[in-house]
Amino acid sequence: MNENLVKECEQIMLSEFSEMHGQVQLLHEERTNLIDALRQLEAANLEAGASGKHEFPSLGRGKYSECSTTASSDGKQEFEDVSEEDEPSFHDTKEYFNEPNVGSVTNLATSGYPNIKRRTKLPDPAEKEKGVSLWSMIKDNVGKDLTRVCLPVYFNEPISSLQKCFEDLEYSHFLDRAYEYGKSGNGLLRALYVAAFAVSGYASTEGRHCKPFNPLLGETYEADFPEKGIRFFSEKVSHHPTVIACHCEGKGWKFWGDTNLRSKFWGRSIQVEPVGVLTLEFDDGEVFQWSKVTSTIYNIILGKLYCDHHGVMQIRGNRQYSCTLKFKEQSILERNPHQVNGFVEDVAGKKAATIFGKWDDSLYYVSGDGISKTKVSDPASNASLLWKRTKPPPNVTRYNLTSFAITLNELTPGLQEILPPTDSRLRPDQRHLENGEYEKANLEKQRLERRQRMSRQLQESGWRPRWFEREGESETFKYTGGYWEARGHGNWDDCPDIFGEITEELVDSA
């Protein structure tokens, strides 16, 4: 070949490399500036930062063949305009590939949150919805043995108690923030954000009049949310008493616990007392533990149904700070319901911060022993916002699910093929209810209720949880590991088909 032709080809190649190098440098600078800006917002404790609505641009996803991308927030910056005006630099290709910036192209492309599109509404019901009323239950069960009556499916919402556990992790970014503050030496803000996380889990219960599905023995639920940086797993580990265990891994922290609900019926209300300890452990060794407060559902027979949470929550830390929160019980004449007041104190018992707010709306704090009786609607000028509830979705159904809860039972593309046969999203009565197929949902629910009655026999025959174990009778169930590895290999041979027909052989094999 002609030597001049070879040199021209070399120059064209080096010019292309130079343009791509410039793009990578601009992406790197943009990402660095974005991270610095976010850190400054968090340090200043701005209200926008506390709401947790940071949006990360899609970095490195442009079509490099067209030399264009959308790295800037307004989507109008094009690297073609920048690179075409610059004089291409010439250098040895070996030197270029040894540049540290080039080696980070893959990291830049994957460092942003994955673009997972999740649904914003439930499917349109295939049948006309039935109202939730006592009369509906009586009418459907006339002449039946009351000891074997199953509540009609329209008393349920289309998620299970396993998924309801994950709903408490909606504001998991507070734990990410708590981890960063603790790592930088600010133990007080870490404790405050842990408290905000503990309270935020109650916000989703406001306006929820239906009960979640009671899982079958051995039923599981996984939630892989890479855009939130967490993955969650839960399993029903005991049928009598009903115990649900969960485990979640985040950015620099782990969260686990189990819950056993004790309920009391008082005629016009049902009181639910959660039994169990929730544990949060950061990678640096700091641990916080707490238990949930009592929940009461009022006006079961007559009147408007509503839920209230009350009691004292002790968030115990193993280092410098602990927190005490009091959920005030709502009275008949209460004009400002759902109040939460508390404080963070150090190991010497000195109050380091005062917390006040509402469990269904927002939470504020004041440094030191502030005035805890400050009205939430008119917070003190020196009060800082810790947490603000996200707005409800525009497509509200009778279930009053939050935007986050709407995504919990969704089967995203390709997910069904890799789930174990025990996952809640594969439960037929729950799936039919979500689709608005109420007759099919009722039939399936009755079938699974009959199957559930044999769960106690299964448990007494020596059945053991697949993914959790407990060292002692009074200890918390802990995740034994192996689930995500089995998911990666698609190995579910030891997971029974719990939603199918139960047989004597299945009982004997357990």
Side-chain angles (χ1 to χ4, degrees):
M1 294 178 64
N2 189 298
E3 187 176 351
N4 292 332
L5 182 60
V6 172
K7 289 183 178 180
E8 287 180 5
C9 291
E10 256 186 2
Q11 290 179 357
I12 293 173
M13 180 183 66
L14 292 174
S15 176
E16 290 292 330
F17 278 140
S18 178
E19 289 183 5
M20 188 175 292
H21 190 190
Q23 295 170 26
V24 172
Q25 286 180 325
L26 286 170
L27 281 171
H28 182 69
E29 291 174 4
E30 181 103 13
R31 180 174 179 271
T32 302
N33 293 336
L34 178 62
I35 292 175
D36 290 341
L38 289 176
R39 286 175 177 170
Q40 290 174 7
L41 286 173
E42 289 182 351
N45 196 24
L46 294 177
E47 181 172 344
S51 66
K53 296 181 180 178
H54 301 319
E55 295 185 1
F56 290 82
S58 302
L59 302 179
R61 294 196 193 125
K63 296 180 180 179
Y64 285 113
S65 60
E66 298 175 4
C67 295
S68 65
T69 187
T70 56
S72 62
S73 58
D74 58 7
K76 296 180 180 179
Q77 181 178 355
E78 294 186 359
F79 288 110
E80 282 182 316
D81 299 335
V82 178
S83 57
E84 287 178 0
E85 295 176 2
D86 295 340
E87 187 69 20
S89 57
F90 297 91
H91 44 264
D92 191 356
T93 53
K94 291 182 180 180
E95 294 177 358
Y96 179 81
F97 284 113
N98 288 331
E99 287 284 334
N101 284 340
V102 176
S104 63
V105 170
T106 303
N107 293 333
L108 284 170
T110 59
S111 62
Y113 289 149
N115 185 21
I116 298 178
K117 186 177 180 180
R118 303 191 185 273
R119 67 186 183 186
T120 57
K121 63 186 292 291
L122 294 177
D124 295 327
E127 304 171 12
K128 185 178 180 180
E129 293 187 78
K130 294 184 179 181
V132 179
S133 67
L134 183 64
W135 169 246
S136 299
M137 183 183 70
I138 295 173
K139 184 185 64 169
D140 289 349
N141 293 284
V142 170
K144 295 184 179 179
D145 182 358
L146 292 180
T147 62
R148 298 184 177 276
V149 165
C150 302
L151 283 176
V153 75
Y154 41 82
F155 275 82
N156 291 86
E157 58 186 12
I159 61 174
S160 72
S161 297
L162 297 168
Q163 295 164 313
K164 190 78 172 177
C165 288
F166 180 58
E167 203 172 347
D168 289 348
L169 275 296
E170 178 178 358
Y171 299 91
S172 62
H173 56 272
F174 286 159
L175 300 184
D176 301 338
R177 203 168 299 169
Y179 170 69
E180 293 295 335
Y181 278 123
K183 192 169 66 172
S184 63
N186 196 332
L188 176 57
L189 275 177
R190 169 176 283 189
L192 285 168
Y193 275 107
V194 170
F197 168 77
V199 173
S200 66
Y202 291 96
S204 61
T205 63
E206 175 64 14
R208 300 276 280 274
H209 301 149
C210 298
K211 63 181 289 290
F213 279 86
N214 182 26
L216 304 183
L217 185 63
E219 187 172 335
T220 64
Y221 175 70
E222 69 158 64
D224 188 11
F225 275 60
E227 69 269 33
K228 293 174 69 70
I230 60 175
R231 61 181 187 180
F232 170 93
F233 180 73
S234 59
E235 179 183 8
K236 182 173 180 179
V237 295
S238 174
H239 175 64
H240 187 77
T242 298
V243 179
I244 293 173
C246 68
H247 179 88
C248 185
E249 299 174 0
K251 301 173 184 176
W253 53 268
K254 293 180 181 178
F255 174 79
W256 70 88
D258 57 41
T259 302
N260 173 22
L261 299 179
R262 294 178 181 173
S263 59
K264 297 179 181 179
F265 180 61
W266 298 104
R268 61 179 291 269
S269 64
I270 295 178
Q271 184 173 302
V272 180
E273 297 180 0
V275 179
V277 177
L278 304 176
T279 302
L280 171 66
E281 181 180 5
F282 293 99
D283 286 355
D284 55 17
E286 188 165 11
V287 177
F288 292 90
Q289 289 185 317
W290 67 93
S291 297
K292 290 197 168 187
V293 297
T294 301
S295 300
T296 303
I297 304 170
Y298 296 94
N299 297 335
I300 298 296
I301 306 298
L302 295 173
K304 184 179 180 181
L305 201 70
Y306 70 95
C307 179
D308 190 31
H309 309 287
H310 50 92
V312 178
M313 178 185 288
Q314 297 281 355
I315 304 176
R316 300 171 295 277
N318 67 338
R319 290 188 179 173
Q320 187 177 2
Y321 295 103
S322 295
C323 181
T324 301
L325 296 171
K326 182 179 180 181
F327 289 66
K328 184 179 179 182
E329 186 171 5
Q330 182 175 340
S331 63
I332 298 176
L333 302 177
E334 183 64 63
R335 295 183 178 180
N336 193 20
H338 308 163
Q339 292 185 55
V340 179
N341 294 280
F343 54 88
V344 176
E345 62 180 4
D346 58 20
V347 290
K350 181 181 178 181
K351 292 184 180 179
T354 302
I355 303 174
F356 58 94
K358 287 186 172 184
W359 55 258
D360 66 329
D361 182 72
S362 56
L363 209 61
Y364 296 83
Y365 80 93
V366 179
S367 298
D369 189 5
I371 302 174
S372 60
K373 294 183 180 180
T374 306
K375 293 183 179 180
V376 179
S377 59
D378 185 25
S381 58
N382 61 338
S384 300
L385 180 68
L386 265 179
W387 160 72
K388 181 73 175 176
R389 180 185 178 184
T390 56
K391 294 181 179 179
N395 304 302
V396 179
T397 66
R398 70 176 180 89
Y399 304 115
N400 285 323
L401 298 182
T402 63
S403 298
F404 182 65
I406 286 173
T407 68
L408 300 186
N409 199 49
E410 179 184 13
L411 283 169
T412 53
L415 181 61
Q416 184 170 354
E417 291 75 19
I418 60 177
L419 288 176
T422 55
D423 195 275
S424 293
R425 279 164 289 207
L426 305 180
R427 180 169 173 161
D429 53 351
Q430 186 172 306
R431 181 59 57 189
H432 285 312
L433 177 62
E434 180 182 284
N435 293 332
E437 301 166 331
Y438 302 107
E439 294 301 325
K440 291 181 180 179
N442 257 322
L443 293 174
E444 284 294 331
K445 187 173 187 293
Q446 292 172 12
R447 179 182 69 84
L448 292 177
E449 289 282 356
R450 292 194 297 268
R451 188 191 200 286
Q452 180 78 326
R453 293 190 187 104
M454 300 188 70
S455 295
R456 187 166 186 172
Q457 183 181 349
L458 280 170
Q459 195 167 328
E460 292 173 351
S461 300
W463 181 89
R464 292 289 182 271
R466 174 64 183 85
W467 308 104
F468 290 85
E469 68 177 5
R470 183 163 58 182
E471 296 177 357
E473 289 298 322
S474 60
E475 297 296 324
T476 300
F477 279 92
K478 288 190 176 181
Y479 174 58
T480 57
Y483 174 83
W484 298 103
E485 291 76 9
R487 181 183 188 268
H489 294 94
N491 182 16
W492 306 121
D493 296 338
D494 54 351
C495 294
D497 180 16
I498 63 173
F499 303 129
E501 294 295 337
I502 193 167
T503 61
E504 294 298 329
E505 290 77 9
L506 180 59
V507 176
D508 295 338
S509 65

